[in-house]
Amino acid sequence: MPAGQNSINTNVGALVALQNMNSINSRLDQTQNRVSTGFKVTGAVDDASSFSIAQGLRGELKAYSAVSQGLAQARGVMTVAEAGATSVSNLVGDIKKKVVELANAAITTAQRSILTADFDQLVDQVRAFLNQATFQGTNLLNSGAATVNVISDIDGSTIELRPNDLIGDLDTFS
């Protein structure tokens, strides 16, 4: 045997130890791979059928994540629209009060002018609330708003958010 070469073929104990060490290293690599990825089956080599099932589930999870994002956006649009409508609703009592005060025939011309200015200011405030009820470019309370279709399930089902032209209604009121 040339110098510098070792042979373990003659040492049965060393051969068994080497086989055990290789087996342990292989299992250690597999365990480290599972720990680093978080997956029990990291590839088709580990278990082809389980890997195939796991890949299908991962795809569905991604689809549900996309649906969740769409629903979150719809929730944002509806929350902002609700806040705008609530703000308008809160002002309606003040507007009604001004209308009743303006209906009083006993008020002077100067008082009528002040009440009319107050009324116009309240209507402008309502218009501002309605115009500002926008979430990522969508305003369901403004004129010309388009219907928003939001995906609601991985099968492609959608929820339709229909706008209501409160600005147009306000223009006919004032």
Side-chain angles (χ1 to χ4, degrees), residues 127 165-174:
R127 188 173 281 110
D165 184 10
L166 295 182
I167 292 283
D169 294 345
L170 182 64
D171 290 340
T172 61
F173 175 68
S174 59

Side-chain angles (χ1 to χ4, degrees), residues 49-60:
S49 60
S50 294
F51 180 73
S52 176
I53 292 167
Q55 285 298 94
L57 292 174
R58 287 181 194 120
E60 282 195 26

Side-chain angles (χ1 to χ4, degrees), residues 53-71:
I53 292 167
Q55 285 298 94
L57 292 174
R58 287 181 194 120
E60 282 195 26
L61 285 174
K62 288 180 182 180
Y64 279 115
S65 175
V67 169
S68 179
Q69 286 178 331
L71 291 174

Side-chain angles (χ1 to χ4, degrees), residues 8 13-23:
I8 58 170
L15 181 59
V16 170
L18 182 61
Q19 287 174 340
N20 285 336
M21 188 171 81
N22 286 338
S23 173

